[in-house]
Amino acid sequence: MSANLTALAYLVASVLFILALRGLSSPGAARRGNMMGIAGMAIAIGTTVLDPSIVSYGGILAAIAVGGVIGTIIARRIQMTAMPELIAGFHSLVGMAAVLVASAAFLSPESFGILDASGTIFVASRIEMALGVVIGAITFSGSIVAFAKLAGLMSGDPVMFPAQHWLNLAIGVVIAVLIAMFAQTPDPQWFWIFTGLAFAIGVLLIIPIGGADMPVVISMLNSYSGWAAAGIGFTLGNSALIVTGALVGSSGAILSYIMCKAMNRSFFSVILGGFGAVATTARSKTDKPHKEGSAEDAAFLLKNAGSVIIVPGYGMAVAQAQHVLAEVSAKLKAQGVKVRYGIHPVAGRMPGHMNVLLAEANVPYEDVHELEEINPDFSNTDVAIVIGANDVTNPAAKNDPKSPIFGMPILEVDKAKTVLFIKRSMKGVGYAGIDNELFYSPNTMMLLADAKKMMQDIGKEL
Amino acid sequence: MEVDPLIWQLSIFVLAIFVGYYVIWSVTPALHTPLMAITNAISSVIVVGALMAAGPADFSAAKVLGLAAITLAAVNIFGGFVVTQRMLSMFRGRGRAPNKK
């Protein structure tokens, strides 16, 4: 295949990838979009293996087969509630692949055509592969930490130590200096040292960030994996890789921005971490009276309601309560109650987490609404059910300028006639470590139980 | 005067960022999780670099790294597309039959 044809094939692959992302504006189009993504990938791989420099197919086929089987099995078996850790795990693989490819390009530059007449690697290629390997290494080790936090292999609490940010800054500066030196002289030791440091800083960057900030972290790592791919794309001079890297990089960046905005936090405050570390001190007013109810009371209220809005959060995922919840809402709908869902952008551990869980439980997507869409409707709603969410409903975000979450957009469940708040116990606070005045409001009924158990009991009463 | 190929690549890169910006803002928030899964899958197009490293007939360290990278990328490509398809097949509108496995 001529070089021109190859480049055209990569262009086709890039266009298919853009269309794959464009499809995600609606579920139906998204399914077609996924097929285009697969086609784009097949074209990119097919074009590359037809290159005359690729002659040894045995190992390649075996590697694709092994990886393909593992990937397919994981993807088919994974629980929908475990999606955040799966995505974090996948990010780490992209990062590692970038590190391996950049290292291979450094060790065998002749296979990649990046040698100049005197047999040294082009300066531009050195800088590109350095950036690719550094971002790839950060993506890898950062995603491993995110994976461990999400999968519960390590505590989700922020890990802080003195002068942490200065250490990170110092390592960052050293990496930059080493890359500059590597651009001057292609000494292998610089390459391996900055690669090692990049692995270290990936860990250091993510450990201070608490579990509830994971939606931002995961989006950010998504973005990094794209920039790493783009860096490698420059080294290879491959347009499909450059375009894809740019698409993925901007996608992750936009998602990070949306998540930060939904928490009213700056990107830097999330990155610096430590949020939620003050959890134990802020809670002193536990003795205020609150109203408790039983499943029977809840069922009675729901039966007599005209309209209900359900606000799910991470707790619903933990309790695996989405199926029972969907059954209860189906029963209510059968009795003529209008049931809808209100989703906060940061509910759960990754963007869109709740929507996937509700979809899994066969909730029609027309019933699931975004924050801006549903907020005006709370004031004419009879019952709001909060299940596994907390801070995203806290009126302090609107009323109390001293609150750490002041200014964060919330779902205004307090405007509903009655709030049913499902929670394990009156102890325990949301991720921000603050009390929620909603618990003590006269129109709130606390349902203290495991979310799944409570929904089952309500279901029986209906 | 000849334009350095790097400049062309940079042009493609910058324009693709803009394309990404507008395309991603049109994604419905309900599909943000599938978006992350599919971006994961397509960023594994990095496999083309791994293929070039693993392609030559002679055995070398680069070839081993290339084969390892192909394996990781393949996990991601297959895993990413399959899990995206699985999630998207669950998003059904009202009145349509839920799809059973």
Side-chain angles (χ1 to χ4, degrees):
Chain A
M1 214 192 271
S2 78
N4 286 339
L5 266 180
T6 306
L8 285 175
Y10 285 138
L11 174 63
V12 173
S14 308
V15 170
L16 286 168
F17 289 154
I18 294 171
L19 292 175
L21 298 182
R22 182 69 186 82
L24 289 160
S25 51
S26 83
R31 284 185 279 271
R32 288 190 296 279
N34 199 40
M35 292 302 160
M36 293 190 203
I38 294 171
M41 186 61 75
I43 291 173
I45 294 176
T47 308
T48 313
V49 294
L50 287 177
D51 189 281
S53 71
I54 294 182
V55 290
S56 121
Y57 287 107
I60 290 175
L61 285 175
I64 292 180
V66 170
V69 168
I70 297 174
T72 307
I73 291 176
I74 296 175
R76 295 183 71 97
R77 296 231 174 122
I78 190 87
Q79 291 264 346
M80 284 298 146
T81 43
M83 202 50 68
E85 49 264 44
L86 178 76
I87 298 290
F90 279 168
H91 286 156
S92 75
L93 298 183
V94 181
M96 197 55 181
V99 171
L100 294 174
V101 172
S103 305
F106 178 60
L107 293 172
S108 292
E110 68 285 353
S111 313
F112 293 84
I114 49 175
L115 288 176
D116 64 14
S118 68
T120 43
I121 305 173
F122 292 118
V123 177
S125 301
R126 271 182 258 153
I127 298 174
E128 290 150 10
M129 70 169 66
L131 291 175
V133 80
V134 165
I135 304 173
I138 295 175
T139 310
F140 172 75
S141 57
S143 299
I144 291 289
V145 176
F147 174 84
K149 288 194 174 206
L150 288 162
L153 301 173
M154 68 181 275
S155 156
D157 295 338
V159 178
M160 309 284 284
F161 54 86
Q164 190 165 22
H165 302 313
W166 293 112
L167 176 67
N168 291 350
L169 186 65
I171 296 177
V173 170
V174 172
I175 290 175
V177 170
L178 287 174
I179 292 177
M181 290 164 76
F182 180 68
Q184 298 279 325
T185 43
D187 188 335
Q189 64 172 334
W190 304 140
F191 184 84
W192 302 119
I193 295 176
F194 63 63
T195 305
L197 285 174
F199 278 119
I201 201 161
V203 174
L204 290 169
L205 277 175
I206 307 301
I207 51 170
I209 306 180
D213 282 343
M214 280 301 148
V216 182
V217 170
I218 250 191
S219 317
M220 188 179 83
L221 291 166
N222 185 242
S223 180
Y224 288 179
S225 69
W227 304 130
I232 304 297
F234 278 102
T235 314
L236 307 182
N238 182 314
S239 63
L241 200 37
I242 295 175
V243 170
T244 313
L247 293 174
V248 176
S250 48
S251 167
I254 290 171
L255 289 176
S256 312
Y257 169 79
I258 295 174
M259 295 299 114
C260 286
K261 203 161 154 260
M263 294 194 291
N264 192 36
R265 312 250 324 267
S266 77
F267 188 65
F268 279 103
S269 96
V270 174
I271 297 304
L272 293 177
F275 201 64
V278 289
T280 43
T281 52
R283 192 176 164 85
S284 54
K285 34 185 181 179
T286 38
D287 296 333
K288 279 197 291 186
H290 64 271
K291 199 165 70 189
E292 277 179 37
S294 65
E296 214 176 321
D297 304 329
F300 178 80
L301 277 166
L302 289 170
K303 254 187 276 189
N304 293 298
S307 60
V308 173
I309 297 177
I310 301 170
V311 175
Y314 182 57
M316 180 189 80
V318 174
Q320 300 266 10
Q322 66 272 26
H323 297 282
V324 205
L325 179 66
E327 281 164 31
V328 169
S329 48
K331 273 187 193 170
L332 287 171
K333 275 173 134 183
Q335 301 185 12
V337 183
K338 186 179 181 192
V339 184
R340 286 173 299 168
Y341 295 80
I343 310 289
H344 194 279
V346 293
R349 285 294 188 258
M350 71 182 295
H353 193 186
M354 292 298 124
N355 302 80
V356 169
L357 295 182
L358 293 175
E360 186 196 14
N362 288 322
V363 173
Y365 58 74
E366 291 93 339
D367 291 352
V368 183
H369 301 272
E370 308 305 324
L371 180 132
E372 294 85 6
E373 242 167 44
I374 198 101
N375 255 347
D377 291 356
F378 278 108
S379 50
N380 46 37
T381 291
D382 296 316
V383 181
I385 307 178
V386 182
I387 172 165
N390 185 353
D391 293 320
V392 297
T393 64
N394 193 337
K398 277 184 306 179
N399 311 332
D400 178 7
K402 287 194 296 268
S403 170
I405 59 166
F406 183 71
M408 173 173 120
I410 59 159
L411 285 157
E412 297 171 349
V413 293
D414 53 313
K415 294 207 173 130
K417 280 201 197 80
T418 310
V419 181
L420 296 176
F421 206 111
I422 305 176
K423 202 168 178 304
R424 281 178 166 280
S425 72
M426 287 308 286
K427 290 197 207 83
V429 287
Y431 74 85
I434 49 169
D435 211 7
N436 190 342
E437 64 190 78
L438 193 60
F439 301 160
Y440 316 107
S441 146
N443 65 348
T444 301
M445 184 190 280
M446 299 299 296
L447 303 172
L448 300 179
D450 172 74
K452 191 174 178 181
K453 175 93 183 24
M454 178 53 74
M455 289 321 294
Q456 279 165 344
D457 292 347
I458 293 176
K460 275 181 218 144
E461 295 293 332
L462 283 173
Chain B
M1 227 180 94
E2 189 98 350
V3 176
D4 191 319
L6 180 64
I7 304 304
W8 290 116
Q9 293 168 12
L10 199 63
S11 316
I12 294 172
F13 180 64
V14 173
L15 293 175
I17 290 177
F18 278 92
V19 172
Y21 181 86
Y22 290 105
V23 169
I24 302 303
W25 276 114
S26 75
V27 172
T28 168
L31 294 180
H32 276 164
T33 297
L35 170 68
M36 299 195 92
I38 200 172
T39 50
N40 227 306
I42 66 172
S43 59
S44 303
V45 72
I46 200 164
V47 73
V48 301
L51 290 168
M52 288 171 75
D58 305 329
F59 187 82
S60 66
K63 187 170 170 142
V64 176
L65 296 179
L67 288 173
I70 292 174
T71 313
L72 297 183
V75 172
N76 231 327
I77 293 170
F78 283 81
F81 283 125
V82 170
V83 88
T84 306
Q85 194 63 28
R86 226 185 110 197
M87 283 192 274
L88 292 175
S89 69
M90 298 184 317
F91 280 87
R92 296 280 145 167
R94 197 180 291 143
R96 266 160 282 180
N99 91 317
K100 286 278 160 209
K101 330 150 212 167

